[in-house]
Amino acid sequence: MTAPSATMKINNLLEEGLVKKRLVSQDHRSFFLEITEKGEKLRQQINRQNIEVGSRIFSSFSTQQKKTLSKCFRSLIGR
C-alpha cells in the first residue's frame, strides 16, 4: 500500500469515528491510532459474521476434509 493510500484509509476511519489519532509526544510527525468504542463494536460484529459464515461453510465438510484443509492452512502459514 502506498503512503497516500494509507493516509486516505486512515482519514476514512477517522471520519467514520472508528479510530482516533493521538500524536506521539516526542515526535509530532508520528501518531498512534486507537480503535474507538464504535470501531470495537463494528470489529466484534464483523468477527461474529465471519464466524457464522465460516461455520456454515465448514458444516458441510466431512471430518477428513476439515483435517485436509487445516493441514493446508498450517502449511501456508508455516506451522
Side-chain angles (χ1 to χ4, degrees), residues 5-40:
S5 292
T7 299
M8 281 180 44
K9 298 281 184 198
I10 290 168
N11 287 339
N12 289 339
L13 292 170
L14 289 164
E15 287 173 19
E16 293 292 324
L18 300 173
V19 297
K20 58 186 172 182
K21 184 163 68 168
R22 185 169 42 95
L23 287 174
V24 175
S25 58
Q26 299 86 356
D27 178 5
H28 293 286
R29 295 170 298 166
S30 301
F31 57 89
F32 292 109
L33 291 175
E34 184 178 347
I35 193 165
T36 62
E37 186 176 328
K38 180 180 178 182
E40 179 60 23

Side-chain angles (χ1 to χ4, degrees), residues 53-64:
V53 169
S55 293
R56 277 188 272 152
I57 291 169
F58 294 117
S59 68
S60 64
F61 285 24
S62 70
T63 301
Q64 186 56 47

Side-chain angles (χ1 to χ4, degrees), residues 44-57:
Q44 289 176 6
Q45 177 187 351
I46 291 168
N47 281 350
R48 281 191 302 273
Q49 290 172 343
N50 286 341
I51 289 168
E52 188 179 307
V53 169
S55 293
R56 277 188 272 152
I57 291 169

